[in-house]
Amino acid sequence: QVQLVESGGGLVQAGGSLRLSCAASGRTFSSYAMGWFRQAPGKEREFVAAISWSGGITYYADSVKGRFTISRDNAKNTVYLQMNSLKPEDTAVYYCAYKVAGPTTGWKFYDYWGQGTQVTVSS
């Protein structure tokens, strides 16, 4: 089992920044990818960003490219999502997710999920 705990969500004005963190614990594999997804009320879960074990491969949704940055610190088993230039449409519950091997944008391929952290961007 793998446990994921997100933190760093909150309320911010449009144009502001937040940094989300996700700490992994438990029986993690020696090489695993991490992803961030989000879900707004009444909408489907959508991909935000993903990163490989080495950090050398990253994927971003078009809607966040150039504004969000995913990174990781393997010594701390933690992945981050730096969110800049936030917009009201970024408002959602953000979830981190874990999968063995390489990253992917499809949420169905991830095996473990955090409980989510709320991000609210006011206009």
Side-chain angles (χ1 to χ4, degrees), residues 49-65:
I51 188 168
S52 64
W53 168 255
S54 69
I57 299 173
T58 56
Y59 299 132
Y60 293 95
D62 287 343
S63 59
V64 307
K65 205 169 292 184

Side-chain angles (χ1 to χ4, degrees), residues 34-88:
M34 295 292 292
W36 286 98
F37 294 79
R38 66 187 182 186
Q39 188 166 19
K43 295 188 177 181
E44 293 187 352
R45 186 176 340 186
E46 65 172 351
F47 168 75
V48 176
I51 188 168
S52 64
W53 168 255
S54 69
I57 299 173
T58 56
Y59 299 132
Y60 293 95
D62 287 343
S63 59
V64 307
K65 205 169 292 184
R67 300 188 298 123
F68 291 10
T69 302
I70 189 170
S71 62
R72 64 189 297 163
D73 182 340
N74 291 335
K76 297 181 179 179
N77 285 337
T78 299
V79 65
Y80 305 97
L81 186 68
Q82 178 66 43
M83 305 186 295
N84 298 329
S85 302
L86 282 161
K87 304 176 181 180

